[in-house]
């Protein structure tokens, strides 16, 4: 099972609509296309901007663009920074970070609790 | 006559195909010549993208869920303004719509192809698919299709083109590059289309005869009869000979009866198989009957299929395996794959974690059992408690059905022997009515080498001696319990392994229908100890 530790920093929350989080991708992001679809669909459901940076590249990409996400070539073990600006920014970061932590729901939907 | 040319590659989907080559062409250059105003070219591109999205949606609507998931990804890419913007930059710089689109996409594809991760590189062909579909909409040139029965040879094959093609007439796929992790490889495995990848570029004329021998990870251009005999092509031989020889029992050279049953992946296969050639169905997989989570709990759908299967089998036993999801077999939202999930929540573990899924299938099986000689196989059983828990489901659901006045009968419930811990301790599973070795998984669990990981493929093959020892022990344990035991793994369909499996004591083989003729003929030439008949 997954025994890698997740590297994360406390979320930097700003009441004026800025929020950022850092997380290690434990899911094989490139494994199939679904995680990218799920991530961008969730990002698009928030009114704020969502941007991602991979492995301290200093390049911030539109987190709502599946083309950009696929192009970022994110793999397992990548450190992902996610930032959001605008309405419901904190909520967006919380949801997206949780999605990455849940390995894009590819495990959860098995329904361990069912 | 041209000399045969053998080319080694990597097997991406097992099987053997023989047919004329369809050599994939590149998009012709002349379609890029046209040039209108910037605004007109931009409109043309947007219109073409809209057309492509509509086509993909229509294709997704008539595809199974796994295929639709792949197409959904393509649709999502096309809906993303980022792609259009990349191409529009080039239109503004002076390119026509088609050239701008192809140029922008090719740059993007090149970036994906350089990804360090094979799984991600394998997505490049999806983008090629998107590129070609939009080009087709822009230029009015139809997407290239090819004759049924052909062997597709090219750099890569796009999933939508695979899905649009009729594979029922056979044929196969040979890719110069390609990947065992690509969407199209997944689709090929799901439909038993033989596929060899990573052959490197080779020249072959359109229409030339090519043998795709994915079982031996090779391709033979202009094969001679010897090559074809060695590889045993699927369509040419299996049916007529199988039909001539009635009965699913073959006698060994020393006069012992060996039972041969069929492995069925898809109920439509039954139409092409003569029941008289088999001692029934040794394994019907059910994970391919369902394309979505909704299908999986559609009791009536399951029932209809099982009833049809039992009617096909007549008096002979038909063994249906309960949904074996997880590992490499997934549904959207179910058993989705992680690299660890071959050893995670799959098979009976997943069924017990999702009782609603298991119970719907259990009810369908109980109702269908009235119509024939049904056996139920439980996948990936590790401890006796799992077997008992599932048996309880059967008993509870039967009581409910009978209370409702629905006819239901308890089938025999047996288990797959594929987890080493279970295989070594079969005496603990005395409540299992019968056993069936699943050697594909047994081998990967014994070697701790994932089946779908090319980097450890050699280890997987090397598992054979260990698997045979576990089988021999299991057969002894089952015989001591007076329980039937057989094999339904790929080893049983592989002529190389049949003598050793006989020597290990197996007397019931479940094989792929297109292999039964070979296996029958091999067994008839062997004594029960697996040695050839003495002359």
């Amino acid at each position: 099972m997954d025994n890698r530790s997740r590297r994360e920093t406390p979320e930097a929350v700003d009441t004026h609509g800025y929020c950022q989080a850092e997380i290690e991708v434990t899911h094989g992001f490139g494994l199939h296309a679904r995680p990218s679809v799920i991530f961008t669909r969730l990002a698009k459901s928030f009114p704020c901007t969502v941007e991602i940076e991979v492995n301290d590249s200093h390049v911030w990409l539109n987190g709502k663009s599946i083309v950009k996400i696929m192009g970022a070539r994110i793999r397992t073990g990548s450190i992902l920074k996610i930032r959001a600006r605008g309405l419901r920014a904190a909520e967006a970061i919380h949801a997206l970070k949780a999605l990455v932590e849940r390995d894009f729901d590819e495990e959860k939907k098995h329904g361990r609790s069912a | 006559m041209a000399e045969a040319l053998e080319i080694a590659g990597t097997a991406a989907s097992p099987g053997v195909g023989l047919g004329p080559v369809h050599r994939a062409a590149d998009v012709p250059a002349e379609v890029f010549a046209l040039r209108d105003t910037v605004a007109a070219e931009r409109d043309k591109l947007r219109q073409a993208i809209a057309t492509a999205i509509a086509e993909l949606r229509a294709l997704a609507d008539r595809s199974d869920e796994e295929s639709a998931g792949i197409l959904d990804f393509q649709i999502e890419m096309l809906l993303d303004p980022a792609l259009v913007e990349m191409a529009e930059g080039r239109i503004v710089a002076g390119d026509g719509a088609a050239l701008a689109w192809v140029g922008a996409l090719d740059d993007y594809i090149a970036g994906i192809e350089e990804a360090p991760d094979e799984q991600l590189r394998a997505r490049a062909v999806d983008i090629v698919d998107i590129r070609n579909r939009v080009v087709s909409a822009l230029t009015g040139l139809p997407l290239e299709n090819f004759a049924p029965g052909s062997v597709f040879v090219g750099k890569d094959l796009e999933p939508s083109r695979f899905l649009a093609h009729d594979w029922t007439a056979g044929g196969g796929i040979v890719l110069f590059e390609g990947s065992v992790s690509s969407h199209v490889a997944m689709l090929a495995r799901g439909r038993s289309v033989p596929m060899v990848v990573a052959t490197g570029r080779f020249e072959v004329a359109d229409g030339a005869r090519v043998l795709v021998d994915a079982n031996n990870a090779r391709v033979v251009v202009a094969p001679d009869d010897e090559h074809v005999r060695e590889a045993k092509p699927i369509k040419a031989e299996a049916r007529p000979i199988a039909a001539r020889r009635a009965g699913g029992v073959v006698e060994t050279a020393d006069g012992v009866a060996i039972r041969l049953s069929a492995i069925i992946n898809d109920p439509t296969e039954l139409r092409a198989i003569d029941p008289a050639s088999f001692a029934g169905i040794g394994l019907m997989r059910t994970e391919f009957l369902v394309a979505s989570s909704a299908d999986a709990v559609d009791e009536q759908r399951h029932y209809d299929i099982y009833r049809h299967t039992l009617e096909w089998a007549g008096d002979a036993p038909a063994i249906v395996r309960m949904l074996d999801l997880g590992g490499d077999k997934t549904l959207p939202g179910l058993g989705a794959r992680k690299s660890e999930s071959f050893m995670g929540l799959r098979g009976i573990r997943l069924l017990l974690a999702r009782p609603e899924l298991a119970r719907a299938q259990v009810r369908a099986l109980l109702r269908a059992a009235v119509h024939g000689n049904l056996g139920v196989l439980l996948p990936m059983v590790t401890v006796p408690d799992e077997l008992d828990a599932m048996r309880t489901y059967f008993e509870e659901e039967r009581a409910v059905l009978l209370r409702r006045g629905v006819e239901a009968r308890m089938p025999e419930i047996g288990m797959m022997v594929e987890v080493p811990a279970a295989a070594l301790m079969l005496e603990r599973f005395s409540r299992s009515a019968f056993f069936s070795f699943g050697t594909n998984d047994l081998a990967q669990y014994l070697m701790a080498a994932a089946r779908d990981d090319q980097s450890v493929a050699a280890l997987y093959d090397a598992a054979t001696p260990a698997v045979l020892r576990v089988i021999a022990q299991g057969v002894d344990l089952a015989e001591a319990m007076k329980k039937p035991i057989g094999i339904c793994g790929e080893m049983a369909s592989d002529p190389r392994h049949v003598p050793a499996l006989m020597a290990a004591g197996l007397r019931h083989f479940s094989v792929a229908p297109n292999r039964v003729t070979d296996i029958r003929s091999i067994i008839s030439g062997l004594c029960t100890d697996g040695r050839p008949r003495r002359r």
Side-chain angles (χ1 to χ4, degrees):
Chain A
M1 293 309 287
D2 191 355
N3 56 7
R4 287 164 299 212
S5 63
R6 291 173 199 271
R7 205 183 108 191
E8 38 187 298
T9 54
E11 291 167 26
V13 184
D14 175 335
T15 48
H16 295 94
Y18 178 80
C19 186
Q20 180 171 329
E22 182 177 304
I23 185 166
E24 179 181 336
V25 177
T26 50
H27 182 281
F29 205 106
L31 195 65
H32 41 116
R34 240 185 102 233
S36 309
V37 176
I38 292 168
F39 185 92
T40 49
R41 278 188 186 157
L42 182 60
K44 281 190 276 191
S45 72
F46 291 97
C48 51
T49 64
V50 173
E51 291 176 299
I52 63 161
E53 184 208 43
V54 185
N55 293 334
D56 295 322
S57 61
H58 302 294
V59 180
W60 287 90
L61 302 164
N62 181 358
K64 298 183 179 186
S65 164
I66 188 170
V67 172
K68 299 289 183 194
I69 299 267
M70 285 295 291
R73 308 189 306 204
I74 301 161
R75 46 195 312 216
T76 304
S78 295
I79 304 298
L80 203 63
K81 281 197 192 115
I82 315 172
R83 72 182 183 194
R85 233 182 270 275
L87 281 174
R88 295 170 65 199
E91 198 188 329
I93 291 301
H94 181 75
L96 289 166
K97 179 167 173 266
L99 179 69
V100 179
E101 278 171 352
R102 293 196 311 264
D103 287 347
F104 304 87
D105 284 344
E106 304 237 297
E107 185 78 21
K108 185 188 146 214
K109 287 192 180 173
H110 292 191
R112 278 184 194 286
S113 57
Chain B
M1 202 173 119
E3 186 135 338
L5 169 67
E6 269 192 58
I7 300 148
T10 303
S13 169
V16 176
L18 179 67
V21 164
H22 169 79
R23 182 70 177 82
D26 294 324
V27 182
E30 56 267 30
V31 304
F32 302 123
L34 313 165
R35 175 80 172 93
D36 210 330
T37 64
V38 167
E41 292 294 319
R42 187 186 279 151
D43 282 351
K44 267 193 252 175
L45 180 59
R46 298 207 164 207
Q47 190 54 49
I49 290 171
T51 304
I53 291 170
E55 285 173 3
L56 285 170
R57 282 191 172 138
L59 190 58
D61 281 347
R62 54 177 198 268
S63 297
D64 62 81
E65 200 77 19
E66 184 192 22
S67 314
I70 293 165
L71 297 172
D72 276 347
F73 164 69
Q74 297 194 358
I75 292 167
E76 205 77 17
M77 292 290 287
L78 282 172
L79 287 170
D80 189 337
L83 273 190
V84 193
E85 283 160 14
M86 284 188 237
E88 285 181 342
R90 286 164 180 261
I91 291 176
V92 171
D95 283 347
L99 186 57
W101 174 255
V102 170
L105 273 277
D106 282 354
D107 279 356
Y108 186 76
I109 290 160
I112 302 274
E113 279 175 341
E114 282 167 13
D117 186 324
E118 191 198 340
Q119 303 283 356
L120 185 53
R121 283 199 299 278
R123 297 291 77 81
V125 68
D126 286 289
I127 322 288
V128 171
D129 205 357
I130 294 167
R131 180 196 69 188
N132 293 354
R133 186 167 292 279
V134 172
V135 168
S136 162
L138 265 174
T139 59
L141 290 175
L143 280 178
E144 186 186 24
N145 200 355
F146 46 101
S150 307
V151 173
F152 178 96
V153 176
K155 182 174 165 227
D156 215 334
L157 174 62
E158 304 86 334
S160 76
R161 198 168 355 158
F162 177 94
L163 290 169
H165 185 71
D166 174 9
W167 292 102
T168 56
I173 302 167
V174 179
L175 302 181
F176 302 149
E177 299 177 8
S179 161
V180 296
S181 316
S182 66
H183 279 150
V184 77
M186 283 161 51
L187 294 171
R189 288 192 288 271
R191 282 175 214 197
S192 303
V193 176
M195 175 170 174
V196 173
V197 301
T199 59
R201 187 167 281 276
F202 61 88
E203 289 309 317
V204 58
D206 215 28
R209 206 162 87 111
V210 162
L211 175 74
V212 186
D213 181 2
N215 299 334
N216 295 304
R218 64 173 189 168
V219 177
V220 187
V221 178
D224 54 35
D225 293 349
E226 187 62 22
H227 286 117
V228 177
R229 247 199 316 281
E230 273 171 30
K232 309 289 183 195
I234 296 168
K235 298 284 169 183
E237 296 179 24
R239 265 200 249 163
I241 298 175
R244 275 205 311 277
R245 297 196 195 180
V249 176
V250 57
E251 258 190 31
T252 59
D254 50 353
V256 172
I258 306 286
R259 275 201 301 148
L260 295 178
S261 300
I263 293 179
I264 301 295
N265 290 317
D266 182 327
T268 58
E269 290 172 22
L270 295 173
R271 287 202 293 262
I273 307 168
D274 179 3
S277 307
F278 294 93
I281 294 172
L283 169 68
M284 181 162 102
R285 297 191 168 96
T286 56
E287 45 284 357
F288 302 119
L289 310 181
V290 295
S292 66
S293 315
D295 277 356
V297 293
D298 184 341
E299 180 185 329
Q300 189 60 33
R301 182 188 166 91
H302 281 277
Y303 168 79
D304 289 342
I305 291 168
Y306 305 149
R307 180 175 178 171
H308 169 72
T309 304
L310 286 163
E311 284 168 355
W312 179 91
D315 297 337
I319 295 172
V320 173
R321 186 172 72 187
M322 288 189 73
L323 285 167
D324 184 17
L325 293 168
D328 54 350
K329 287 169 291 202
T330 64
L331 286 179
L334 267 183
R337 170 175 188 172
K338 289 181 57 146
S339 54
E340 305 93 329
S341 67
F342 268 118
M343 289 193 270
L345 197 62
R346 68 173 288 214
I348 195 162
R349 303 171 186 182
L350 181 62
L351 289 169
L352 292 175
R354 293 290 301 260
E356 76 284 7
L357 184 69
R359 285 179 185 273
Q361 192 174 22
V362 163
R363 285 192 298 273
L365 287 163
L366 284 162
R367 288 167 56 201
V370 174
H371 301 286
N373 186 354
L374 178 68
V376 172
L377 254 184
L378 305 181
M380 212 193 180
V381 174
T382 310
V383 292
D385 282 355
E386 292 166 326
L387 190 72
D388 295 342
M390 188 57 73
R391 177 174 283 284
T392 305
Y393 284 4
F394 272 88
E395 283 160 1
E396 288 171 358
E397 292 300 329
R398 178 163 180 262
V400 170
L401 288 170
L402 293 179
R403 266 204 308 278
R404 283 195 221 139
V406 179
E407 230 188 327
R409 186 190 293 168
M410 274 296 271
E412 297 241 288
I413 300 174
M415 62 181 263
M416 295 286 293
V417 182
E418 50 190 344
V419 177
L424 293 170
M425 308 293 285
L426 273 196
E427 73 276 12
R428 296 178 63 208
F429 296 87
S430 57
R431 284 186 294 278
S432 180
F434 60 94
F435 302 102
S436 190
F437 284 107
T439 48
N440 306 0
D441 280 326
L442 185 57
Q444 73 167 343
Y445 297 140
L446 280 171
M447 300 304 269
R451 277 199 264 146
D452 60 344
D453 186 338
Q454 283 304 308
S455 59
V456 292
L459 277 177
Y460 180 66
D461 276 348
T464 306
V467 173
L468 287 168
R469 180 173 292 185
V470 172
I471 288 176
Q473 290 178 5
V475 170
D476 286 347
L477 292 170
E479 281 177 354
M481 289 189 281
K482 299 193 167 36
K483 303 274 186 184
I485 188 160
I487 177 169
C488 56
E490 273 171 29
M491 273 178 98
S493 294
D494 186 336
R496 292 175 303 161
H497 296 314
V498 168
L501 293 171
M502 302 252 302
L506 286 172
R507 301 293 177 257
H508 180 200
F509 292 70
S510 296
V511 298
N514 58 37
R515 292 300 185 83
V516 72
T517 311
D518 296 345
I519 300 302
R520 195 194 313 271
S521 106
I522 286 161
I523 290 175
S524 65
L526 295 172
C527 294
T528 35
D529 60 4
R531 291 169 194 268
R533 175 200 339 236
R534 264 184 239 125
R535 293 184 190 274

